[in-house]
Amino acid sequence: MTASPRRVTQRDIARMAGVSQATVSLVLNNRTDAEVRIASETRDRVLRVIAETGYAADPVARRLASRFNRIIGVFTYEPAFPSGSRDFFHPFLLGIEEYAESVGCDLLLFTSAPVLDGRRRIFHQDNRLRLADGCILLGREIDGAELQRLNRDGYPYVAVGRRDDADGPVPYVGADYASAVAQLVEVALRHGHRRLMYLNMGTNAESSEDRRRGFRAAATTAEAAGEMSALSGEADTTVDTLLAHGTTVVFVEDFATAVALESAARRRGLTVPGDLSIVTLGDPTVPVPTDIAFTGFRIPREEMGRQSVEVLTGVIDGSAAGLQQRLLACELVEGNTLGTPDPAVDRH
């Protein structure tokens, strides 16, 4: 299949015309008032490049141009650029930047928020939210009290990831974890697995609860389906516990834990998936070196970033119809860590 050509952006026009992106924006919006002076030859050069490339300004950009600053805030409850989690946040930020550029918006990363009780807080003495027309919220867990205040204040925002109501519905773009996990359970059942275990991270985040809900709903036909928390970082102990329960397949919330379990199984002379199948429920949140192709699913993080900006601009300019809550499908990954259990092995 031939890839579709990349859409020309204002940044491209600015580069080809040898001007700033702000100048391109002014020309597109036909700003000719006394406060804005653009040389006629500069304006003509920008218009010529626009004509040659066939550039068409995004309608969202036109709606935002006259009434707003066109600045979108990004607030992360966890640091966005630590070495440990950069690989997880990076696709979200790529998607956010890509769509913001396409509609001519600048991004403002709020980094001055104080850390209280180990967590960042949106609202503080030097709160600068109003510098932006609206804000995108990123984080595994988002403070419910702050969501309540955002709802009460009527400040435009969108959360990345599904969020529970907070004195009112929360606009969000999330991943449909429940459906993805349910599909993986159904695949395991078709492979003949009847003794399933879910290994959770011990958090109350909505993303974790959605995964657990999908597992419970789909595992009802199994002979035995249970849930346990990861055991204090001791993968060997966890493997022993799984085998003691007769588990044939374990669904692991945390990718790094899945890698540790596979290594622990091999140390015991076991094979994956021969003796124990391992299914992962999402991408690594920290870089984990491994050559194992785990069966699981990928989170549409970049698309979640793009659509979060799309939703937010609709909330800001009033074009959004009704409550904006989107769940995007995850991509199943076949991998090679889910097999058929050996019927000759007594697991009871």
Side-chain angles (χ1 to χ4, degrees):
M1 181 186 299
T2 303
S4 58
R6 187 177 70 87
R7 184 178 182 275
V8 177
T9 67
Q10 285 190 26
R11 181 182 295 179
D12 297 326
I13 299 297
R15 175 178 51 78
M16 289 184 280
V19 298
S20 68
Q21 190 170 335
T23 298
V24 174
S25 179
L26 293 171
V27 172
L28 285 168
N29 291 302
N30 199 28
R31 291 286 299 277
T32 58
D33 48 270
E35 295 180 359
V36 179
R37 293 185 175 88
I38 300 176
S40 58
E41 58 270 21
T42 300
R43 185 181 298 275
D44 290 344
R45 186 165 70 254
V46 172
L47 291 173
R48 185 168 60 251
V49 172
I50 290 172
E52 290 173 351
T53 59
Y55 173 81
D58 191 290
V60 174
R62 290 206 177 278
R63 289 199 302 269
L64 291 171
S66 59
R67 294 181 292 157
F68 302 98
N69 296 324
R70 289 192 293 171
I71 296 176
I72 292 175
V74 178
F75 183 89
T76 62
Y77 276 85
E78 294 94 21
F81 304 112
S83 59
S85 61
R86 64 177 180 269
D87 290 341
F88 187 75
F89 279 108
H90 187 242
F92 291 122
L93 298 170
L94 278 179
I96 289 170
E97 180 185 34
E98 179 183 297
Y99 196 90
E101 179 190 345
S102 74
V103 296
C105 289
D106 290 312
L107 296 176
L108 176 60
L109 182 63
F110 292 109
T111 57
S112 63
V115 177
L116 302 175
D117 299 325
R119 305 230 17 212
R120 284 180 171 172
R121 293 291 181 265
I122 295 176
F123 296 102
H124 53 94
Q125 185 175 3
D126 192 23
N127 175 15
R128 302 181 187 180
L129 276 185
R130 296 292 175 181
L131 292 174
D133 298 318
C135 190
I136 294 171
L137 308 181
L138 276 168
R140 180 172 176 79
E141 297 185 61
I142 295 181
D143 188 272
E146 297 200 322
L147 292 177
Q148 291 176 11
R149 181 169 173 181
L150 288 168
N151 279 342
R152 186 172 64 249
D153 293 350
Y155 181 77
Y157 75 96
V158 172
V160 176
R162 187 193 70 78
R163 306 297 165 184
D164 293 330
D165 286 358
D167 282 349
V170 174
Y172 61 73
V173 177
D176 191 355
Y177 295 124
S179 294
V181 174
Q183 290 177 52
L184 287 171
V185 170
E186 290 165 3
V187 172
L189 292 174
R190 289 198 298 270
H191 275 73
H193 291 276
R194 293 296 179 267
R195 303 186 69 81
L196 291 62
M197 186 67 74
Y198 185 100
L199 191 62
N200 68 56
M201 295 176 62
T203 74
N204 295 318
E206 290 92 340
S207 57
S208 294
E209 179 52 38
D210 289 350
R211 288 174 168 91
R212 291 193 287 266
R213 177 162 46 85
F215 176 81
R216 294 169 190 146
T220 54
T221 61
E223 291 176 6
E227 182 177 337
M228 58 184 282
S229 297
L231 301 175
S232 64
E234 293 294 334
D236 292 276
T237 304
T238 302
V239 169
D240 290 341
T241 303
L242 290 170
L243 296 178
H245 280 84
T247 302
T248 61
V249 57
V250 57
F251 295 77
V252 187
E253 213 173 280
D254 177 57
F255 190 91
T257 299
V259 173
L261 288 179
E262 194 277 337
S263 297
R266 279 192 288 106
R267 284 196 296 272
R268 276 164 165 63
L270 304 174
T271 62
V272 175
D275 297 297
L276 178 66
S277 288
I278 300 175
V279 175
T280 58
L281 306 180
D283 306 306
T285 56
V286 296
V288 183
T290 180
D291 295 326
I292 306 299
F294 283 94
T295 300
F297 62 77
R298 294 192 184 95
I299 304 167
R301 291 177 290 167
E302 196 166 327
E303 185 61 24
M304 288 167 66
R306 279 192 289 268
Q307 291 199 29
S308 68
V309 181
E310 180 183 15
V311 169
L312 182 58
T313 53
V315 172
I316 291 170
D317 69 20
S319 65
L323 175 64
Q324 297 295 301
Q325 294 181 335
R326 302 181 183 181
L327 287 179
L328 309 185
C330 298
E331 177 190 358
L332 297 192
V333 178
E334 185 172 345
N336 55 24
T337 58
L338 175 62
T340 300
D342 186 351
V345 177
D346 182 10
R347 298 179 184 272
H348 297 273

